[in-house]
Structures are given as C-alpha cells and as structure tokens.
Amino acid sequence: MTSENEEYYKDRYQEVKDKVEYKDFLNDIEEITLENSDSPFITTEQIVNMAVEKYSDRKNVQQTHTNQVQDISSLVEGNGNISIQGRLLSISNIKTFTTKKGREGKVANLTVEDSTGKIRVVMWTDNMKYMSRIKEGDIVKINNLEVRKGYTGDLEVQMRNNSSIQVMPEELGEDLPKYEETITNLEDIVEEGEYNVIVRITKVATLREIQKEDRTLKIITINVMDATGDMEFTLWNNDTDLVETLELKENDTIKIIKARAQERNGVFSLSNSWNGRIVKDDYDLPEFKQEIFKIGNATEKENVTIMGVLTKIYDTIVFQKNDGSEGKVRSIEVTDDTGSIRVTLWNKETEIAMNKGDFIKIEGGNIEFDDYSGDSYRYNTGWNAAIVLNPEMDDELKEKLSEIDNLEITKIKDVLDVDLDEGREVDVIGRILAMNDIREFQRVDGTEGQVRSIDLADETGVVRTSLWDDKADINQGLGDAIKIENARTRLGQGTMELSVGKSSRITIPEEDEIEDLPSYQTLEQERYNDRTVSQLEENEQNVKLRVRVINLGQVNTFSRSDGREGKVRAIYVADETGEVQVSLWDDDTNVDFSDGAALIIENPTVQSQNNRIRLSISGGSNLRKARPEEAELMPTLREIESQLYVEKLIEDIEDDDSHIKVRGVIEEINGEKILYAMCPNCNTRIVQSEEGYICDSCGEKIEEPNYLMIIQATLQDETGTISATFFRDQAEKLIDTTTDEVIDIFKQTGDESSMAGKIEDLIGHEITLIADAQYNDYNEDVRLNVRKIVIIV
C-alpha cells in the first residue's frame, strides 16, 4: 500500500468510522481488490466506493440487492445483485487483455435500452459463452449485475462470474424502443455518422504504427467494396487484433455494425466504433477481380499489385529518422514468370516472418525507377500496402511460379569456379571449418569497420568467406552448419572467395537442408593431411597436427612499420616424434593454454629457420583445444617427454645436442646482475649513459626500456660441471619471482644486487631441466640454454 493510497483510505474511512474498525475496512478493500483482479479497468476509487457502500446508510440512496428487474433510470452507483431488461441495441466485438495476474482476459460491451433509458453492460471472460446466443434487436434480461461508474464518468453495469443473460419473448417488448438494422450502400454515405454496411474485403493492409508524443498508435486499413462502390475501413489500436481474432482476409464478406463515417478532403472513410461489431458471414456481394501486374512490364506506376515467389531476402537495416526515432527497412526480391524486382519493406513490414520460396502477393505499392542500380525498377510498399504470404491463386499461375529455379543452394565447388564472373550472388550451406577472430579496421572515410574470416565447407569443397561489420558477430562456432543467402563471389589470391556484407543474410539451416552435409570430423579428414612433427616440410599446406604443449613463452610486444603495436608469443608443442615452435600473433597470444594441454593445429604456415622447422598461426590457420575423444588418442605429456628427451650425464653432452634432459646440483649462481635493459622497438640490448638509455640500433632515446631477466648458473653431477643460462620465464620459475616484481624490488632498494641473497640460496639444490647445448666460441666450452625446468629439489 502506497502512502498516497493510505491517505485516501483514511479520508474515506471517516464516512464509516462509526460502523467498522479501520483494519476491517482495509480487509474489505483487499477482498474487493482480489475479487476484481481480472477486471483491468476498475479503479481504486471504485473499489473503495464498494467498501464504503457496504456500511453506508446515506439518505436518498435506495440500495437494491434483490436481483429484481430495475428501471435503468433508477440505477445508483453501488447497487448490486440487480437485473435489467430491455432491447439489445449493440454488441461489440470481443477484445483481449492481460490481467494483473498475467492471465489473458476477454471483454465486450453491450448497449441495452428500456423505456426509461439505456446503459452499457460490460461482459468479462466468464460471460463470453453468452455471445453466441444473442444478437442485436433481442429483448434480454441480464441478471446479477453491479452498478459502477465507468471510465467515462457515466454509470454502467458490470456482469459478474455468476451473471446470466436470458433472451426473452418479443411480446414483452411492447413498451421498448424498436430495433431496425438498416444496411446502407457505400455510395449513400454522404454525411458523417454511424452506419451499418455489408461489404467484401478487397485488401487488408499491413499493421502500421504511428508515434504520437508519448504513445504509439496502431492502425490497420482494410479496403472494402459493395455493389455501389468502395471505401477504406480503419481499425485502431486494440481493434487491430480483430484481423487475427476474426481471421479477416481478402474476399471475406462482413457486416460492420455501427461503423463510424468520417469525411476528409471530400472523401469518406469508415472506422470501427467502441460499441460497433464486425460479423463475418457469407453475404451476397459481387465477386472481386484483382488485376495482377506482370513484373517483366515494370515501369513507373502507382497502386500496383504484384504476385510471385520470394527469391531473395535481405537482413533488416535499422536507421535513425530525421526526428530522432528509429526506422527499419528491408529488401526482398520477388520473381514471377516474367521477371524479378527488388521490393522495399518498411518498419512493421520488416518483422513479417518470410522464407525464400514463399509465394507472396503485395498490393497497393508503387513501382519506381531505381536510382541506385541505374538501370532497373524497384517496388516500394509505402503507407497503405498489404502483404499476403502464400495467397490464393489460380492453378496456372501457381504452376508457373513453382517452376522458378533460382532458389537452389549453390555447391561450394561451383562457387570456386574461376571461369565464372565474380560478383555473383549465391546461397550456400556449409559447416564452419576454420574461424578467425574479429579484426577491426578503419575505412578510407574514417569510419570503423570489422571483418572476420571463416572457412566454409560442404562435401564439394572449402571456400574462404569474409564476414563484414555486423555479420562478423555470429553465434556459431567450429563445426556448426550455417546458411548464407546473397553472399557475393569475389576473386581472391587466385581463387574465388565469398564476401558477406550488409545485403547478405546468415541463418541456421533446416534439418532437411543439411541431411546430406558431412559431419565436421569428416570434412576435417578430407581437407587436412595428418602429419607428425617429424614429417613437416617447409611450405607444406593443409597440415593437421595433434600435439601437446610442453612450454609456454612470454608475450612480447613490438612496433609495426605503420606504428601500430603488435604482440607475439612462442609456444612449444610436441608429439612423440619431435618438438616444434609455434608463433602466435596479436589476439591469439591471449589464448590460455597449460603445460600438457592437447591441441589441434590445422593449416599453420610451415617455415624453416636456421635449418629448423617453425610454425606460425596465420589468417588461414586454426588452433584449438582437442576434443576429449581426440585427446584420449594422443600420448600423454610424460610419454612424449620420455620419447623426446634423452637424459645425459654432463661429461657426455655434445655441442649439437638438443632437447636433452640434464640433472645436476647448482654449484654456483650469479645473483648480482640479472636484469638487462632492452629496446622496446627492436628488442636489442641497450646500455644506460649520462643521457639515459639510447638504442644503438634504432638511434632513439628510450624513455622506458623493456627488461629481460637472465640468470647464469653452474651445474655439477658426478661426471663434471657445465654452465647453464636461464632466460625470461625459466629465470622467473627458477627464483619464483616475476620480472615485474624484481623491477619493483630494485626500484625500492636502488640496488640491482638486492636479490643476490635469495638467488644464492639455490646453491646446493638439485635441478632437472630440458636444454639445448651450444658451443661457446669465446670460452671454447659447451653451455646449456635452458628450455624448461622440470623440477627443483
């Protein structure tokens, strides 16, 4: 209960405070509210009035609760359990609403008149069973009514759950007003007022919305005709639901009771009144013959009806109107047996569910010259057009439209045919075989754009597909089937590709459309060549590797030639035949992998550097975590390491050894100098001078260098000693401290040797590591470059 309501309740309670306790008065209000929870139009004032009337003994108020028939003129607000009897003058159509409890309700209005006056009768959901038993002109007795003040301020009676309607004999109506249902021809409507008409529907326009101040008005215009003429009949707001409720469509015949006629600019039109009704029946009216315009004869023409098959559907585009409100536009292509035409749909029309292959009739639009194409026409639906999907048509036209064959899905092998012209619009269905991250870019005009590349595959081939701007943000992932309509072919690097932009549409295909589409696993096997690490050859393409992560490098930043920042990260992966370095770039460097993670790498760039194979994940590559069933078939990390890393004693290490496992005790370690300043541009070592840091390679002064951690140590086993160098992440792992933490310590202490004590505590600890051996020309000895620390004891 709000404070405002509480004050109102207290004020009204003063009228009955001598008859009832305040808490009981509030309980009465709550009970009445619950009883009327399905009445959406009842007000707080009406509810409180009923609570007050329960205890009030106001003078001059003759309350009646006897259910006896009362004269309409004698009814008083608050009367309950009364009956009225009179002539039924009007019946409204049933309207639906949502109750405060969220249930669907129904409401209808009757107008009843006796010899003393007339009144509106409000019917609710439980009373609708009587609607089929009554008609205008009947003499009715309506029982168990309550008298209330309506939203207009006039008295009305409302039916309750236990109310009833009886149709009484005509002989009881001698003193009642007569009912005459006069049917007016459309040509005879020459003055404003209410009329009864019997007409045939010739067009049902699409629902429109009009924004007016703080509310949205809904409108449907229905074109009607009789033997004398034609006219527009308009439904507003909730009345627009009658089109669906009564299933109104072209060629239906209807009687409109109490249609309101209005004149504007010398032309009359009709609209539904609050107490009017539409009755659908089989009335005797002239047949309606509609002229269908042949699309192949397109020329500028107004109020044209076309009929054809939907051959293209484009996505809806949202734009901002001059008044700041939101507008929507969508294009479709309609084809008949003579040609095709682009159709422009607006606002609510864009929300109509339609599919390629649907038959469609559009009425009331205009054919205009298409300035954008420069050599064709388009059909603009405009304000009063009607769109009918799968309309009735003669067998001959239906057969012709069924023969239109440009609805077929194009196989990818046909997309890839370079002998065909680029710029074709095609529809394709396939599975996503590879998928890159979204890349942002700036257009020549300064606007921001985004693009994502995917590889789309069916049983006939694989095509590189570029998804532009909003099309790049798709929910589907690897292995998912998608359908792309209106994709445009373009010639890429010696092969055809697909471009998916504003005029394209991406949907999920139906089950019957993908019943012959191979599974993702099958398509993978057909496209990629399974290789082990030892089988890799330089420049080999369409390679697929099943590997595990054995070492993760750090992310390094660099500056590109255009000044943009780039990122690179090296990870090391291996199978039972060998180990290989994989370079990840930019966003791929953020992928979270752990040691031992099973990976699938598809179509990497295979290069050779210093006689060693290196892999790079580029635009056409795909790197993903292995599915559980794939990982189960791969060797474990322990099994891979036992195959790859030969354990050697120090005296047996040779200068060309790689991937060897060495175990030894840390005999010496240098903790005095472990951080080295590096140029952030070219990543070369720099030295501080009086002028600060200056890079000899770049020639530029460096305000804030990058830092590289390097720790030198000497290992000893029972056969000898050897020097080992720990770089970057392995140095961090050795001393269990990050580079940034070391930098902070040095800044706080001002002493680059402040970590020496902690580092020298490692002397005497046994360590097992994986390393490459390298001959040092300066000292003429063999040293170890540590690749991975296995364990420190």
Side-chain angles (χ1 to χ4, degrees), residues 189 191-193 195 231 236 260-264 267-271:
I189 297 177
E191 293 181 357
E192 294 187 350
Y195 297 88
M231 196 170 287
W236 290 90
R260 185 184 299 110
Q262 296 171 307
E263 182 266 337
R264 185 177 181 183
V267 177
F268 278 90
S269 63
L270 301 173
S271 61

Side-chain angles (χ1 to χ4, degrees), residues 228-493:
T228 68
D230 56 70
M231 196 170 287
E232 287 185 353
F233 171 56
T234 303
L235 299 174
W236 290 90
N237 299 322
N238 292 338
D239 283 344
T240 58
D241 295 335
L242 294 174
V243 171
E244 183 175 348
T245 303
L246 300 177
E247 298 181 351
L248 301 179
K249 60 183 184 301
E250 289 181 11
N251 277 319
D252 284 344
T253 54
I254 58 174
K255 175 167 63 175
I256 310 173
I257 301 171
K258 294 187 178 296
R260 185 184 299 110
Q262 296 171 307
E263 182 266 337
R264 185 177 181 183
N265 298 327
V267 177
F268 278 90
S269 63
L270 301 173
S271 61
N272 203 36
S273 60
W274 70 270
N275 61 342
R277 184 158 74 117
I278 301 172
V279 180
K280 184 177 174 181
D281 207 339
D282 188 14
Y283 298 105
D284 184 19
L285 286 168
E287 292 297 323
F288 170 61
K289 184 66 176 177
Q290 189 172 51
E291 180 183 354
I292 305 298
F293 188 86
K294 288 297 183 181
I295 293 173
N297 299 329
T299 186
E300 292 187 305
K301 188 177 178 66
E302 294 183 350
N303 196 21
V304 172
T305 297
I306 62 173
M307 186 182 295
V309 61
L310 268 168
T311 48
K312 290 187 187 298
I313 302 176
Y314 300 92
D315 271 350
T316 299
I317 298 173
V318 179
F319 63 93
Q320 193 172 51
K321 300 178 183 177
N322 292 334
D323 61 2
S325 62
E326 184 182 272
K328 292 186 287 187
V329 63
R330 184 184 209 179
S331 292
I332 61 175
E333 181 185 80
V334 177
T335 303
D336 68 7
D337 54 314
T338 66
S340 300
I341 194 166
R342 180 72 62 92
V343 178
T344 306
L345 309 178
W346 299 93
N347 300 317
K348 292 296 288 186
E349 294 172 339
T350 66
E351 300 173 13
I352 298 174
M354 54 183 67
N355 297 293
K356 292 184 69 170
D358 284 343
F359 296 127
I360 187 170
K361 178 167 73 171
I362 310 178
E363 309 164 78
N366 302 325
I367 297 179
E368 305 167 350
F369 186 74
D370 190 350
D371 295 322
Y372 180 76
S373 68
D375 60 356
S376 59
Y377 291 88
R378 64 187 175 98
Y379 184 98
N380 197 342
T381 53
W383 167 253
N384 198 27
I387 298 173
V388 183
L389 291 175
N390 301 312
E392 296 180 359
M393 65 180 76
D394 61 62
D395 293 339
E396 182 181 356
L397 178 58
K398 190 170 186 178
E399 183 177 352
K400 288 180 179 178
L401 295 181
S402 299
E403 293 173 354
I404 295 173
D405 60 1
N406 59 345
L407 303 174
E408 294 183 359
I409 299 297
T410 302
K411 293 297 183 183
I412 288 177
K413 70 177 179 62
D414 297 322
V415 173
L416 297 172
D417 190 346
V418 294
D419 292 330
L420 298 176
D421 292 336
E422 63 175 327
R424 293 173 291 141
E425 281 194 350
V426 295
D427 297 349
V428 293
I429 291 177
R431 292 193 188 277
I432 300 175
L433 203 54
M435 188 173 192
N436 294 325
D437 290 328
I438 294 175
R439 178 174 61 83
E440 296 182 347
F441 64 92
Q442 191 173 57
R443 296 184 176 88
V444 177
D445 62 3
T447 59
E448 298 292 331
Q450 60 180 20
V451 63
R452 164 182 265 161
S453 293
I454 64 172
D455 285 351
L456 196 67
D458 65 9
E459 69 277 14
T460 69
V462 182
V463 63
R464 174 61 56 84
T465 304
S466 298
L467 311 179
W468 298 92
D469 297 321
D470 62 316
K471 299 299 188 298
D473 192 17
I474 60 174
N475 296 321
Q476 292 77 19
L478 285 176
D480 289 338
I482 62 172
K483 180 178 183 179
I484 305 178
E485 299 176 7
N486 318 316
R488 194 173 293 276
T489 62
R490 67 175 187 181
L491 190 60
Q493 296 180 352

Side-chain angles (χ1 to χ4, degrees), residues 67 80-83 124 126-127 129-130 142-146 158-165:
N67 207 22
N81 298 328
I82 64 154
S83 296
W124 301 104
D126 292 333
N127 313 131
K129 57 190 175 185
Y130 295 107
I142 309 179
N143 306 304
N144 297 324
L145 297 171
E146 289 190 7
Q158 298 213 8
M159 296 181 68
R160 310 296 298 160
N161 294 346
N162 62 346
S163 299
S164 62
I165 301 179

Side-chain angles (χ1 to χ4, degrees), residues 18 37 70 104 144 158 214 227 331 340 392 415 424 427 454 456 470 490 496 513 522 540 561 671 730 762 781:
D18 297 332
S37 61
Q70 299 293 305
E104 183 182 272
N144 297 324
Q158 298 213 8
D214 59 343
S331 292
S340 300
E392 296 180 359
V415 173
R424 293 173 291 141
D427 297 349
I454 64 172
L456 196 67
D470 62 316
R490 67 175 187 181
M496 279 293 183
E513 293 181 305
T522 300
E540 190 175 8
S561 57
Q730 297 307 313
L762 290 169
D781 61 1

Side-chain angles (χ1 to χ4, degrees), residues 450-562:
Q450 60 180 20
V451 63
R452 164 182 265 161
S453 293
I454 64 172
D455 285 351
L456 196 67
D458 65 9
E459 69 277 14
T460 69
V462 182
V463 63
R464 174 61 56 84
T465 304
S466 298
L467 311 179
W468 298 92
D469 297 321
D470 62 316
K471 299 299 188 298
D473 192 17
I474 60 174
N475 296 321
Q476 292 77 19
L478 285 176
D480 289 338
I482 62 172
K483 180 178 183 179
I484 305 178
E485 299 176 7
N486 318 316
R488 194 173 293 276
T489 62
R490 67 175 187 181
L491 190 60
Q493 296 180 352
T495 184
M496 279 293 183
E497 299 178 353
L498 287 179
S499 181
V500 179
K502 185 180 294 186
S503 61
S504 305
R505 190 165 74 130
I506 301 176
T507 60
I508 299 174
E510 301 292 336
E511 286 297 325
D512 60 336
E513 293 181 305
I514 58 173
E515 57 186 6
D516 296 327
L517 186 65
S519 67
Y520 175 56
Q521 291 81 359
T522 300
L523 291 170
E524 268 191 315
Q525 292 170 3
E526 291 177 351
R527 180 186 184 190
Y528 298 117
N529 303 313
D530 276 312
R531 291 287 187 268
T532 63
V533 171
S534 64
Q535 292 173 332
L536 292 173
E537 296 181 2
E538 186 177 6
N539 298 324
E540 190 175 8
Q541 294 183 340
N542 292 332
V543 165
K544 180 176 180 179
L545 294 171
R546 294 171 170 84
V547 292
R548 288 190 184 272
V549 177
I550 61 171
N551 196 11
L552 291 167
Q554 293 181 324
V555 177
N556 294 311
T557 59
F558 62 92
S559 295
R560 293 186 170 90
S561 57
D562 60 4

Side-chain angles (χ1 to χ4, degrees), residues 651-666:
E651 71 172 359
D652 296 329
I653 296 173
E654 299 179 3
D655 59 9
D656 58 351
D657 282 340
S658 63
H659 306 139
I660 58 174
K661 181 184 287 186
V662 180
R663 182 186 298 113
V665 175
I666 299 176

